[in-house]
Amino acid sequence: MTRDNDIPPEVQKDIMKATFRAITRYGYADLTMEKIAEESNKCKSTIHYHYGTKENLMVDFIKYLQKGFKRNIVPDTGDPLERLNGVIDRMLFGTKNGKIPERFHTALLELRSQAPYNEKYRRQITENDELIHGKVKGIIEDGIEKGVFEKEDPGTIATIILSAVDGARARQISTERKAVEKARNSLDDIIDEMLLKGR
Amino acid sequence: MTRDNDIPPEVQKDIMKATFRAITRYGYADLTMEKIAEESNKCKSTIHYHYGTKENLMVDFIKYLQKGFKRNIVPDTGDPLERLNGVIDRMLFGTKNGKIPERFHTALLELRSQAPYNEKYRRQITENDELIHGKVKGIIEDGIEKGVFEKEDPGTIATIILSAVDGARARQISTERKAVEKARNSLDDIIDEMLLKGR
């Protein structure tokens, strides 16, 4: 049972921010409603009343990340090349509000690895994924329309960019290699050779 | 304490194969020495005697996957383009011995998400990662030397390919999108435009 539709916006925002802090601190597996309550100004029973289960709360949290992506990751202004470079930089290195803690990315990877066993997570992650893909694709389409980019398939280039970012994130936290910096260099090459063709 | 140097090769092979079956069946978090024993013809105390902890066993297992990669993923014969396409296909769709179960990839992602908390895992995953990167880079270098590929930076192209594969794997198991097929199409475009330049 999901009750998130009935939650007053301020309460929801407070719980979501507390969830961000708690999952960054403890990871996904060790996350409990009690730990979320400790990070917020709400008591455990309030959080329990609104969400019922950790699963419902996490689905709402994944949805909340989507809003953050729209607000903080996708640049509104600039020419298409600046916007494309901006969205890549923010996905790799952090938002305009500052660096995203590496432990938060670790928790997201943990959450992602639960998705095969959990249909609700999978559905919400798919929705986020499609939104992000659409945004990046939109920037590339805009660039092609304005004659800044070559006529490549925007969906394919968006897939390449998002896969490279995701792969680099997983490498960055699970190995000792400087994966996100290497990914940025690789994506520069892709943009140069596929979208700009040495212009 | 790791005792894997003293394990008779046949015993080790049997335990590793049983670990593959058990981790595919139960995932990483629920994996126990007992479940590995059930998948093998050894008893739990034998496995315990050789490895001591689940952590030691997993480090040896990650090392074992590296051998499998060398033997089953990298094609020995063919021209550089065939070999490059071959290694990508096998990483995305399965080895010459058949499809790798999706649940096994899920378990690997779980294991990867533990690496930030576990130095031994991180070190072994880094070693595997560098080996795979070196193999893909070697195929590209060979292609440039033979005049089949354009003079791109082999390390950068190898990074793009491996990130795209890893990102697609994570997407394939955590969303409802056909991520591995999309990745194959994207990589075809990259090979065409960066390595072949429409030859």
Side-chain angles (χ1 to χ4, degrees):
Chain A
M1 150 199 63
T2 311
R3 293 155 161 164
D4 53 348
N5 290 333
D6 315 328
I7 307 175
E10 279 315 303
V11 176
Q12 192 199 19
K13 198 171 161 190
D14 182 67
I15 296 174
M16 290 296 112
K17 287 188 165 184
T19 304
F20 182 91
R21 286 190 293 271
I23 203 173
T24 300
R25 179 172 272 178
Y26 302 106
Y28 168 77
D30 293 335
L31 189 70
T32 59
M33 296 239 181
E34 195 154 2
K35 284 170 179 164
I36 295 169
E38 279 166 20
E39 299 285 336
S40 79
N41 54 25
K42 303 285 174 292
C43 60
K44 190 184 151 192
S45 64
T46 305
I47 300 174
H48 211 276
Y49 169 77
H50 287 302
Y51 285 101
T53 62
K54 176 179 164 183
E55 187 189 44
N56 286 340
L57 196 151
M58 289 316 299
V59 171
D60 204 31
F61 182 66
I62 306 171
K63 214 181 280 180
Y64 167 79
L65 294 177
Q66 200 183 99
K67 285 181 209 152
F69 181 85
K70 280 197 257 191
R71 206 172 30 236
N72 302 321
I73 304 276
V74 186
D76 315 305
T77 54
D79 68 31
L81 181 58
E82 264 176 71
R83 291 177 71 214
L84 187 60
N85 279 326
V87 75
I88 292 169
D89 278 344
R90 288 173 188 180
M91 287 191 293
L92 286 175
F93 303 112
T95 74
K96 58 188 174 191
N97 301 325
K99 205 166 156 12
I100 295 167
E102 199 135 294
R103 291 186 79 99
F104 175 69
H105 286 292
T106 303
L108 277 195
L109 195 66
E110 270 185 87
L111 189 59
R112 212 160 192 159
S113 75
Q114 292 310 304
Y117 312 114
N118 188 311
E119 202 197 320
K120 288 183 190 171
Y121 291 177
R122 206 162 58 240
R123 212 182 301 139
Q124 191 56 50
I125 292 173
T126 305
E127 201 189 301
N128 284 25
D129 222 62
E130 284 172 354
L131 174 113
I132 296 170
H133 188 268
K135 290 283 177 192
V136 175
K137 190 177 155 204
I139 296 174
I140 298 167
E141 282 169 343
D142 185 37
I144 294 172
E145 211 168 284
K146 291 194 168 122
V148 180
F149 294 152
E150 295 286 326
K151 285 200 180 75
E152 292 284 343
D153 178 53
T156 303
I157 307 273
T159 298
I160 294 172
I161 292 172
L162 294 176
S163 299
V165 168
D166 273 5
R169 276 267 146 250
R171 280 210 157 67
Q172 178 77 12
I173 61 180
S174 63
T175 73
E176 287 149 0
R177 311 183 72 188
K178 298 250 164 270
V180 295
E181 285 160 35
K182 283 185 186 165
R184 180 67 256 200
N185 294 340
S186 309
L187 287 172
D188 278 340
D189 278 13
I190 287 177
I191 291 171
D192 269 358
E193 301 211 19
M194 297 183 79
L195 289 178
L196 301 174
K197 300 236 161 91
R199 290 183 185 199
Chain B
M1 149 197 65
T2 311
R3 290 156 163 163
D4 52 349
N5 289 331
D6 315 329
I7 307 176
E10 278 315 303
V11 176
Q12 191 199 20
K13 198 171 161 190
D14 181 67
I15 296 175
M16 290 297 111
K17 286 187 166 185
T19 303
F20 182 90
R21 286 190 293 271
I23 203 172
T24 300
R25 177 172 275 180
Y26 302 106
Y28 168 76
D30 293 335
L31 189 71
T32 59
M33 295 238 181
E34 195 154 1
K35 284 170 179 164
I36 295 169
E38 278 165 21
E39 298 286 335
S40 79
N41 53 24
K42 303 285 174 294
C43 60
K44 190 184 150 192
S45 64
T46 304
I47 300 175
H48 211 276
Y49 169 78
H50 287 302
Y51 285 101
T53 62
K54 176 179 165 184
E55 186 189 44
N56 286 339
L57 195 151
M58 289 316 299
V59 171
D60 205 31
F61 182 66
I62 306 169
K63 214 181 281 180
Y64 167 79
L65 293 176
Q66 199 184 99
K67 284 181 211 151
F69 181 86
K70 279 196 258 192
R71 204 172 32 235
N72 301 322
I73 305 276
V74 187
D76 315 306
T77 55
D79 68 32
L81 181 58
E82 264 176 72
R83 291 177 72 213
L84 187 60
N85 280 325
V87 75
I88 293 169
D89 278 343
R90 288 174 188 179
M91 287 191 293
L92 286 174
F93 303 111
T95 74
K96 59 187 175 194
N97 301 326
K99 205 165 156 12
I100 295 167
E102 200 135 293
R103 291 186 78 98
F104 176 69
H105 286 293
T106 303
L108 277 195
L109 194 65
E110 269 186 86
L111 189 58
R112 212 160 194 161
S113 75
Q114 291 311 304
Y117 312 115
N118 189 313
E119 204 197 318
K120 287 183 191 172
Y121 291 178
R122 206 162 58 240
R123 214 182 298 140
Q124 190 57 50
I125 292 173
T126 305
E127 201 188 301
N128 284 27
D129 222 60
E130 284 172 353
L131 174 115
I132 296 170
H133 187 268
K135 289 282 177 195
V136 175
K137 190 178 155 203
I139 296 174
I140 298 167
E141 282 169 341
D142 185 37
I144 294 172
E145 211 169 284
K146 290 192 169 124
V148 180
F149 294 152
E150 295 286 325
K151 285 200 181 74
E152 292 284 342
D153 179 53
T156 303
I157 307 274
T159 299
I160 295 172
I161 291 172
L162 294 176
S163 299
V165 168
D166 272 4
R169 276 265 147 251
R171 279 209 158 66
Q172 177 78 13
I173 61 180
S174 63
T175 73
E176 285 149 3
R177 312 182 71 188
K178 298 250 165 270
V180 295
E181 285 159 34
K182 285 185 184 164
R184 180 67 256 200
N185 293 341
S186 308
L187 289 172
D188 279 340
D189 277 13
I190 288 178
I191 292 171
D192 268 358
E193 301 211 22
M194 298 183 79
L195 291 178
L196 301 174
K197 300 236 160 89
R199 288 179 184 207

